[in-house]
Structure formats: structure tokens, C-alpha cells
Amino acid sequence: MPALTRLADALLDRAVVPGYSKLGPALRRRWWPSGPVPGALIGKRVLVTGATSGIGTAIAEGLLDLGATVHVLGRNRAKTEDLVARLERERPGARLVAEVCDVGDLDVVRAWAEDFTGRVDELHGLVHNAGALPAQRSETAQGHELTLAVHVLGPHLMTALLADTLAPDAAVVWMSSGGMYGAGLRDDDLEFTVGEYSGVRAYARTKRMQVVLAAEWAHRLPGTHVYSTHPGWVATDGVTASIPGFGKVMAPLLRTPADGADTTVWLLATRPASRSPHFWHDRAQRPSTLGWERGQDPAAVRRFLDQVAAATDVPG
């Protein structure tokens, strides 16, 4: 990428609105990497969590269009099976499998993974897209704060349980958020019990944790491509319901779910080389901080990982 293009690309994100809104991909398509080629995922099998709406559905659609067999996972059986039926009607010959699992319930994840690995010999892609942004603090069946369970503990456990099923050169993608830029890694209050609870703050903090976990899993799975990614500001039901003020004000500039899914689909189809912290946005690797924050304290990372290991019974 020429120097002036790199500067323009960086300035889009530093200005925030141009980089994160629908203006970002509209401008960056002029210089971002081409591909994926048609049929790039024929013969490949990919699992997408949180697939029944928004970005998750768009990811599934993008993968199907490239020839993949897609396992769409949702916690509501009716919604998941309805999505599979709709996609099969719209794409005759598409290969889909409905998976039902509540990612935030660790016991359910264990039972589902045992069944899945008994049915599936090889997985070429895993997308951690399931999300939650509750207004009030709530806990899962295991007593974990909801956003921590859905964004961090459940996906971490699922990755561990599916690790032996991942094919050589497979890709694992964690759907993080630009909101993580406003949150440092908190290793002292993973369960959000200190101070007044804020769902938006919990969301941002757990999205930061996902970026840290992606780097950790890249270390644990050296033959696998592991990424975290930021979809930009996307018009989804979650935005409308959870942060309606933002959704209303920014509505003219919000991206479509397909735009939000683009980088994830591209990563799965092209599997570019990545360097830590493995964070991507609009088909380019980005810094995991905005420049003024200090580098992540290795001791804090270790404490965080130890707590995640203890909560999930996944050794560090």
C-alpha cells in the first residue's frame, strides 16, 4: 500500500466517524485487498455462532456464496431452524446445518461440543459472533455475568473443545468491536461486581478481553489463523434495542450487516498472515490501541487468563 494511501487509511480510523461508519468501506474499497475468489470455500466447513440475525446472518450468507458448508448456531431452536430453511430456499443447493447452543451456558457448551465433535470430523473455520448487551446485570446458570460468559468464557471453552477438530490452516475469528478501544483489560473485576453496572461498559470490556484471547489462542494454535475483528458501526437489531439513541442519531451512516461481515468472510476465505495482536478492520490489520494507551501489562494478561482458565476448567 503506498504511503499516502496508508496515511489516508489511518486517518479514517483516527477520525472515528469516517472509519467506522459506512463511509469507511465505501472509500477503502478503492485500495483494500481483492478477493476472495468465487468458490474459495468449496469443500470447507465453517461454524458461525450468533448466526440468527444481523452480522451473523450476513457472515453465513457470505460463506455460503463462496461455497462453504455452514453450521449456523443460535440459542433459539425455532429461529435457527427458520434461518436454515430461509437460506436453503434462497440458495438452492446450499449446505447448511442448524446448531442449537447457548454460548453463555458452559454446561450447555460442553454437551453441544461433545455432540458436534461426534458428528463432524474436520472444521475449517470458527466464528465467535454471539453477543449480548444487557441493560441490567444478570448471571448465567454457572453464576457468571452474562456478557463475560457470552463473549469470553463460552467462546474460550468452545475453542478448547473444538481445537482437535480444527483442520490444518483453519481460521478462528473473534467478532470484537471498536468499543474495546475505550476499555483497558480489567483483570481485577471480570464479573463486573464493583460499582454501578453498565451494559455498554461491560460490552466494551469483554470485547477488549476477546482481543487478548485471540492473541492467546494464536499462541496456543500455531498452525491455525486466529483473528479478532471490528465490524464498524452496523445497523442491527442489537444496536436499535440496546443503544437506541446512538442508532437513531447515526442511522444515516450505519453500515449494512453485509458490510459488517465483509472482513470476517474475507479473513476466512483468504487467511492472510497476521501479527499480534491479530486485530483487523476493513481488510487490514489495525493496532489494538489508539496510540495514547500504554502497552498491555503482561502480568495483567496472565492474571486475566488464569481467571478465565479457572472459570472454564481449560488449562492455561
Side-chain angles (χ1 to χ4, degrees), residues 278-310:
H278 311 278
F279 189 63
W280 291 72
H281 172 55
D282 282 350
R283 300 194 185 188
Q285 193 160 5
R286 311 287 174 181
S288 62
T289 66
L290 293 179
W292 56 80
E293 305 95 330
R294 299 184 64 182
Q296 186 61 59
D297 177 12
V301 171
R302 187 68 264 163
R303 289 190 296 268
F304 161 69
L305 293 174
D306 287 345
Q307 291 177 75
V308 171

Side-chain angles (χ1 to χ4, degrees), residues 254-277:
L254 293 180
R255 300 181 181 202
T256 66
D259 280 338
D262 177 85
T263 294
T264 294
V265 174
W266 178 79
L267 288 169
L268 289 162
T270 62
R271 298 180 298 284
S274 187
R275 63 189 183 280
S276 187

Side-chain angles (χ1 to χ4, degrees), residues 156-276:
H156 179 72
L157 176 60
M158 184 179 290
T159 304
L161 296 174
L162 300 184
D164 290 342
T165 308
L166 293 174
D169 205 37
V172 178
V173 182
W174 297 71
M175 181 59 73
S176 183
S177 166
M180 70 96 190
Y181 280 121
L185 179 65
R186 291 290 301 271
D187 65 294
D188 59 336
D189 184 30
L190 267 65
E191 300 285 357
F192 308 98
T193 59
V194 177
E196 184 179 356
Y197 182 82
S198 163
V200 172
R201 187 165 62 249
Y203 184 89
R205 285 166 57 175
T206 52
K207 289 300 178 178
R208 165 64 66 183
M209 293 174 189
Q210 288 185 323
V211 175
V212 174
L213 277 179
E216 172 66 13
W217 276 107
H219 173 71
R220 295 189 188 191
L221 300 172
T224 302
H225 300 273
V226 183
Y227 311 100
S228 54
T229 183
H230 165 31
W233 293 338
V234 180
T236 65
D237 292 341
V239 168
T240 301
S242 301
I243 42 177
F246 174 83
K248 183 177 181 180
V249 171
M250 296 302 299
L253 291 174
L254 293 180
R255 300 181 181 202
T256 66
D259 280 338
D262 177 85
T263 294
T264 294
V265 174
W266 178 79
L267 288 169
L268 289 162
T270 62
R271 298 180 298 284
S274 187
R275 63 189 183 280
S276 187

